[in-house]
Amino acid sequence: MICFYSLIFFVIFANIMPNTFFRFRNFIVHQDKCVMKVGTDSVLIGAWAHGGKRILDVGTGTGVVAMMMAQRFVDASVDAVDIDADACSQAMENVAESPFADRVRVWHMAVQHLVEKPELQGAYQAIVSNPPFFENALKAPGLARNMARHTDALPFAELFASVHRLLAKEGEFSVIIPFNYRSRLEAEASLCGFFLSRVCAVRTTPAKPPKRYMLAFRQIPIDTMENTEGLLETAPGMRSPWYQTLTADFYL
């Protein structure tokens, strides 16, 4: 009887208590202070984006993408910015406990203000972002969650204007967005002088249309754009070979 009630308590407790951390192979991401938890979008863009000697992560949240980029590009220095104070505090703690503490720097700052630093203009060979994307949509309760999910604080036009000033001429800017925001994002990119260089359409299952797009932009046009497709699961709960290969260095 004691074992039975203990089991019931465990199940109830596990269901009501949020997961306060996410464990990767080489680092742990604590997320109890951050409204936006570690999700598939962050893992996808962190594993897919191209890097360089100097990398910027815009809207870092828990810092997961910044640390993934630091793990993948061992000679890179990574800057990460976010406008949410709690998220920055969480990211700083996560970075401090990671193997990349000497190469990742977190700033509590909007990317629009980062461009005011003359030494950073044109300094980044790679910029990566899992940006806020909801426009003119019903907002969720809570200011922090709204800032993380909606474009009010970082409209696409301002995002690309900032990236244009921060990205090196030969650099690449990588983002992940829902499928229905692709045309809007590409339009803003074109207005700021960017050209699409890579596209990856991501399906959740074989029978469903793409739910996410990973897009990469450059300021210099390329001869042939890379166009690929990825699949997350071959069956419920079963990671596809593509997803396993992409994330092999991160998931346990």
Side-chain angles (χ1 to χ4, degrees):
M1 184 64 70
I2 294 176
C3 291
F4 174 79
Y5 283 117
S6 296
L7 177 60
I8 292 295
F9 176 80
F10 174 79
V11 171
I12 293 174
F13 185 80
N15 286 333
I16 64 174
M17 291 297 292
N19 188 5
T20 61
F21 68 92
F22 196 101
R23 187 182 299 275
F24 290 90
R25 284 187 182 272
N26 294 337
F27 58 91
I28 296 176
V29 181
H30 296 280
Q31 52 186 3
D32 54 294
K33 298 178 182 177
C34 198
V35 295
M36 299 305 292
K37 312 303 182 185
V38 174
T40 303
D41 285 5
S42 295
V43 175
L44 281 169
I45 197 65
W48 182 81
H50 283 171
K53 293 289 289 185
R54 196 162 189 184
I55 300 169
L56 174 65
D57 175 23
V58 178
T60 194
T62 61
V64 60
V65 174
M67 289 187 288
M68 290 179 71
M69 296 297 283
Q71 178 178 320
R72 291 176 58 211
F73 303 98
V74 297
D75 295 326
S77 62
V78 183
D79 290 338
V81 295
D82 203 293
I83 61 174
D84 182 73
D86 289 337
C88 284
S89 175
Q90 187 101 80
M92 289 176 184
E93 292 173 3
N94 287 331
V95 168
E97 295 176 7
S98 77
F100 324 113
D102 61 333
R103 295 192 291 115
V104 179
R105 177 173 53 174
V106 180
W107 286 336
H108 179 207
M109 181 182 296
V111 68
Q112 297 97 316
H113 294 155
L114 195 67
V115 301
E116 298 171 3
K117 296 179 178 291
E119 70 276 15
L120 296 182
Q121 295 186 16
Y124 298 100
Q125 288 75 47
I127 300 178
V128 59
S129 184
N130 177 14
F133 48 76
F134 290 126
E135 295 181 305
N136 302 318
L138 183 65
K139 290 181 170 57
L143 177 61
R145 189 169 179 83
N146 281 334
M147 287 194 301
R149 291 169 61 86
H150 293 262
T151 62
D152 297 24
L154 185 58
F156 290 155
E158 292 186 24
L159 174 62
F160 277 101
S162 300
V163 169
H164 180 76
R165 295 176 64 182
L166 294 166
L167 190 65
K169 198 65 176 178
E170 302 290 336
E172 186 170 88
F173 173 45
S174 304
V175 297
I176 183 167
I177 55 167
F179 73 99
N180 54 326
Y181 283 81
R182 177 179 172 179
S183 60
R184 173 81 171 114
L185 195 76
E186 288 187 31
E188 295 293 354
S190 179
L191 290 173
C192 285
F194 284 92
F195 301 90
L196 195 59
S197 57
R198 297 193 298 143
V199 177
C200 181
V202 182
R203 298 174 183 266
T204 53
T205 64
K208 293 182 179 180
K211 292 296 184 182
R212 290 287 188 271
Y213 279 103
M214 292 190 287
L215 307 174
F217 298 90
R218 290 180 174 269
Q219 298 179 79
I220 299 174
I222 62 172
D223 294 333
T224 304
M225 185 184 71
E226 177 185 305
N227 202 331
T228 60
E229 185 174 285
L231 177 67
L232 295 183
E233 295 182 338
T234 55
M238 185 176 296
R239 293 176 190 162
S240 71
W242 174 83
Y243 192 42
Q244 286 181 336
T245 300
L246 183 69
T247 60
D249 292 336
F250 298 101
Y251 283 140
L252 293 172

